[in-house]
Every structure is written in C-alpha cells, then in structure tokens.
Amino acid sequence: MKGSGASGKPGEPAGAAVRLPQLRLDELLEELQARLDAARGTRDRVHSLLEAVLAVGRELDLEHVLHGIVDAAATLVDAEYAALGVIGPDGTRLSAFHTVGVDEEQIARIGHYPEGHGILGELIRHPEPLRLAKLSAHPASYGFPAHHPPMNSFLGVPIRVRDQVFGNLYLTEKRGGLEFDEEDESVLSTLAVAAGVAIDNARLYEESRLRERWLRASAEITHGLMSGSDQAEVLGLIAERAREITDSALAVMSTPVRNTDTLTVELAIGRQAEAHRGLVLPVDGTLTGRAFAGGMPVTSEDVGHDDRVTAGPPRFAGLGPALAVPIGAGERVRGVVLLAREAGAAGFTGKEVEPLKSFAAQAALAMELAERRADAEQIAVLEDRDRIARDLHDLAIQRLFATGMTLQSAGRLVAHEGAKERVLRAVDDLDETIKIIRSTIFGLRARDDEAAPGLRARAVRAVGEATRVMGFAPSVRMEGLLDTHVPRETADHVVAVLSEALTNIARHAHADRAEVTLETDGRTVRLTVTDNGVGIPEGGRRSGLANMAARARELGGGLERSTPEDGGTRLEWQAPVSGAGR
C-alpha cells in the first residue's frame, strides 16, 4: 500500500521512528520517578523534623527535653551516636553530657564524661556548624580514650537560647558508612533552633515551679512564726526546706557564741549531720565565718577540699559545691546557713542565691521574734516580781508590824507569866518573819545590770587561752542548753576542769590533736577531753587528775580515764546539774 511508509524517510527501517522517542520517554520517566522519590524522601524528612520539633516542644522537664533532642537528632540524620553537651557557667567546658547509642556499661568503661577538649572544644570556641568526613583528620582532634567506640564521620551544631550558646549537638557515624551532607546539616540546624525554644520554655517552667516552692515554704515558715512555734523548730524547718528546694545533701545552721569570735552549730540536717552538731568554729579563716563577718553569701566549688574548712572531725566526705548564706544583714547578722551538694553536682547559681537570701531573712525574723518574745516574757516576770514585792511591803509587812505592836501592847496587860512569855515570843517570831520578807523583797527587786558570761562563752575562752600554749587549736563541740541548765557554781567547776585538762595536754601529752566535747541533757553536764598524745605513764604525777576527780565528787559526779584505740588519753568528767550531792 502507498501510505504504509509515508511517515519514514527513504532508506530507514520502518520501526526506528517509533523506538527513539520511546527510549527518551523511559529516561524521562526514570528521572521523574527519582525526583518523586527525592520529593517523597524530603517530605518524609520534613514530617520527621516537624514531629521531632513537636515532641521536644511538648516536654517541660529540662532533663527529658535534652534527652528528647539527642534522640530526635540521631533519628533525623541517621547517626549511630549522638550527644548533647551543656556548656558550663565559665563558657569553656561542658558541665553535662547526654548521649544516645552508648550504653551504661560502655560509659563506665570509658570513664569520666568529656569536658570539652579536642573537636568538642572546637565547637565551644567557634559556635558554628562543623561537618567532617573523618574526625581524625581535623587539627583539633587528638584521639579517643580507651574503650571508646570508633568514630569517623562527624556533624556538630550549636544550640542557642536567647542569643546565648546553651550547648552543642554532636553526631557521629552516619549509618551505611556514608558522610553527613548539607541536607543533614540543614535539618540538624533547624532542630537546634527548635531545641533552643524548648530548652528556654523548660527553664522558665522550672523557674516558675521553683518560685512557687519558695513561696509555699515561706508561707509555712510565716505560719510557724505567727503561731508562736519554738525558735529551734522554726530554724529546723528553714534548714530542711532550704535543703530540699536546692537539692542539697546537707544543711547546717550556726549562730555566734556571745562575747567570743566563734560560731556554734545549732542544728544540722542531712548527710553526716551528727559530725556537725555542736561544733564551735572560729569566725576568722573559715567558710562559715567569712559569710558571718562579711554579711554576704560565700561559695565553695568543693567544700570537701576547701582550705577555709577548719580542722576537726571529717564531716564533708562525698560533698562538693557549697554555699554559706548569712542570716540577717549588716550588724544584725545572727548566724549562717550552710548548704552543700553531692560531689560532682552543679554549683550554686545566682538565681538560687537570691531566694536563699530571702529565706535567710526569714530565719533572722524567726530569731528576732523569739528574742522579742523572750524579752516580753522576762519583762512580765519582772513586773510580776515588782508587784509581789510592793504588795509584800505595803500590805503584808504593815499588817505583821501592826499585829506585832498589838501583841506587844497586850503582853503588858497579861498577868500570867507563861502566857506573857508566849506573847513576847510570838512578837519575836513576827519580827523575824518581817526580816525574811524584807530579804525576799530585796531578792525580787535585785537585777543584774549586765548578764555574766555563760558557760559556752567561758569554755570557748578557756580553749582559746590554751591554744596559745598548746600550739594548735583543739576541736570543740557543745550540745544542749549549757547556759540555761548548768548552775553557775557547776559551771565554775567545768571551766576549771577544762583548763586543767588542756594544760596537762600542753605540758605532758606531746599531742598535735585534741577534741573537747561539752554537753548537757538537762540532768547531767558532761565534759570529754581527748588527745592523741603519749598517754599518762604509770607511776606519774596525778595531782591534776585528783583535783578534777575531787571537783566531780563535790558535785556528786565522777571522772573516768581511758585510752582510745589510736592512743592518747580520754577524760570524761560529769556532774549532775540539779545540785544533787552538794
């Protein structure tokens, strides 16, 4: 037929015109399929990115937010290992490290988390995205510690929170042996922006919760103050709440010993609290003393190895960051609250110090109210004494005097000698009674212009005087209401025995450490003096011990001597405080 080859050129096969367009169409279809697959992959990745952003944005707990960010980053760029390093307050080191891909056993074998050296430090110093085909090829790289898994490809991006670098995302080992590409970097940078917002929200939420806890605790303390709770109870509540809210392991409250340059630990709560209670600390050269003298908070990065912690029983083992906050301000500083966290924990920040200062002001208010209440009670007692004395003088004495005069006059009218003698004897008894009442009135109205130093202050002075002779400062611990429960006569004996014991240590013991414990439970006062010297030789002079024992016997108490396990001498002197045996 004529029309059968009309579409082809002369000399060409009939099927050629059909096959060439068909080949070009296959190529176009394959290219279109590849682009569709790429678009589908981009769509899926965008969806994954959006899901990751939503996931980290839903969390409000900061630790959960950080872990969610690391997990999402590893998934989005298909990395085997991921980490988020939080930059510390100094801006040069990592203070926290959150990882994905390394289990707890591997972490334990590797050892301490990185602090920000090598490639990690490079991103801290230059907070810009960093992508490497091989980690070891970078000049800042200097290898991995033992037991660390091998890592080659690397991608790192900074996380910014309100224009401040919070930390960095570190991704290594893209799966399949591939390298991280520009799209991975773009996706991770986008996640970092969302992470910054999520971290900021979590921080604000934590701060609001913290403020709420401080307000609730303040309300609890205010209620205690207004309801007339005991001072020790309120101070204990303040210490406990401060310890809980700041996640501290230990809270210690110290107050000044009157008429001395020392502080005594009134109460301690938490780890090793028993080792702190009753300790007497010098103001000069100590962490607590510096906060007291300066009226400003004082911090320590590692209280367990701080030179400002004076010698004494070990009491800060396992503790690290510490903060001492004065109770009160200016010349009205009434004491110091010391808080210490576990070793390795984060240090105290400025945001934590401010509410603690307000909390310490609550403590000062508690002590002020307690003093005012005590003053009011004392004034009431004195006024009552004045009223009784006035009534005795104006009413009782006058009536007795009038009765005596009447009896004396009536005696002259009595003829019976026996009856007359009895009347005159009654008059003499009334005179004697009047003298007793007048003496009582004088006692009621007598007031000391200035209170004499209490046993605490006298004992501290005795130790201070002995320190110059001994060449070292003994550790001192005092517990109980020594100034209230121990009578002055007994206190005189206690101070004399303490001075004698310390003098003996200085002269004969050749010791370089001594401990003094003075305590009372309201029934007995007990003084214990221990040293690490050579001990008391057999057959040596014991006149000092005899004097101490005699003083104890005079009060109905006793003296015991023993040798501690590590050598030296231990003297335990005790006497009742109720006056038994005198």
Side-chain angles (χ1 to χ4, degrees), residues 179-191:
E179 298 177 13
F180 295 106
D181 55 24
E182 290 184 10
E183 189 175 338
D184 292 327
E185 182 180 321
S186 177
V187 167
L188 203 60
S189 297
T190 304
L191 178 65

Side-chain angles (χ1 to χ4, degrees), residues 330-374:
E331 296 181 357
R332 300 293 291 171
V333 176
R334 298 173 173 274
V336 177
V337 56
L338 174 70
L339 298 167
R341 287 174 172 158
E342 300 278 357
F348 290 88
T349 65
K351 290 182 179 178
E352 292 175 300
V353 173
E354 286 305 314
L356 271 172
K357 287 168 67 177
S358 299
F359 221 54
Q362 288 273 7
L365 178 59
M367 299 171 81
E368 182 80 24
L369 286 177
E371 284 185 9
R372 294 290 177 267
R373 191 178 297 119

Side-chain angles (χ1 to χ4, degrees), residues 122-136:
E122 183 71 16
L123 210 61
I124 295 174
R125 293 185 292 273
H126 307 288
E128 298 292 338
L130 178 63
R131 183 158 43 95
L132 302 172
K134 195 163 185 65
L135 266 168
S136 57

Side-chain angles (χ1 to χ4, degrees), residues 263-491:
L263 299 163
T264 183
V265 176
E266 291 287 348
L267 61 91
I269 301 171
R271 170 177 285 196
Q272 302 182 78
E274 286 295 333
H276 292 266
R277 292 189 186 117
L279 278 178
V280 177
L281 308 170
V283 171
D284 188 26
T286 63
L287 184 71
T288 303
R290 182 171 295 186
F292 176 79
M296 296 291 291
V298 178
T299 59
S300 172
E301 292 185 3
D302 185 4
V303 71
H305 300 88
D306 197 310
D307 293 338
R308 294 169 295 182
V309 175
T310 57
R315 55 192 188 277
F316 288 109
L319 297 176
L323 171 67
V325 181
I327 301 172
E331 296 181 357
R332 300 293 291 171
V333 176
R334 298 173 173 274
V336 177
V337 56
L338 174 70
L339 298 167
R341 287 174 172 158
E342 300 278 357
F348 290 88
T349 65
K351 290 182 179 178
E352 292 175 300
V353 173
E354 286 305 314
L356 271 172
K357 287 168 67 177
S358 299
F359 221 54
Q362 288 273 7
L365 178 59
M367 299 171 81
E368 182 80 24
L369 286 177
E371 284 185 9
R372 294 290 177 267
R373 191 178 297 119
D375 289 345
E377 291 173 357
Q378 182 68 15
I379 290 171
V381 169
L382 294 175
E383 287 177 346
D384 201 35
R385 286 181 178 180
D386 281 344
R387 181 187 59 77
I388 294 171
R390 188 171 56 251
D391 289 347
L392 286 174
H393 183 273
D394 295 344
L395 300 175
I397 288 182
Q398 299 302 326
R399 284 175 180 266
L400 289 172
F401 188 75
T403 303
M405 291 291 291
T406 301
L407 286 173
Q408 195 171 22
S409 298
R412 289 195 290 267
L413 303 176
V414 177
H416 192 279
E417 286 298 323
K420 184 175 182 179
E421 183 181 347
R422 294 183 67 178
V423 170
L424 293 176
R425 190 162 57 244
V427 171
D428 292 338
D429 288 343
L430 286 174
D431 286 341
E432 200 61 36
T433 303
I434 290 172
K435 289 179 183 178
I436 293 172
I437 293 175
R438 280 178 172 162
S439 177
T440 303
I441 293 171
F442 179 79
L444 288 170
R445 288 178 169 172
R447 300 180 187 179
D448 294 331
D449 294 332
E450 185 176 351
L455 178 54
R456 282 177 179 266
R458 295 176 66 191
V460 169
R461 286 180 182 175
V463 172
E465 291 169 0
T467 297
R468 293 191 290 270
V469 181
M470 299 170 71
F472 63 90
S475 168
V476 182
R477 181 191 303 278
M478 298 186 188
E479 294 191 47
L481 301 176
L482 294 165
D483 293 342
T484 303
H485 287 160
V486 182
R488 184 169 184 82
E489 180 185 344
T490 306

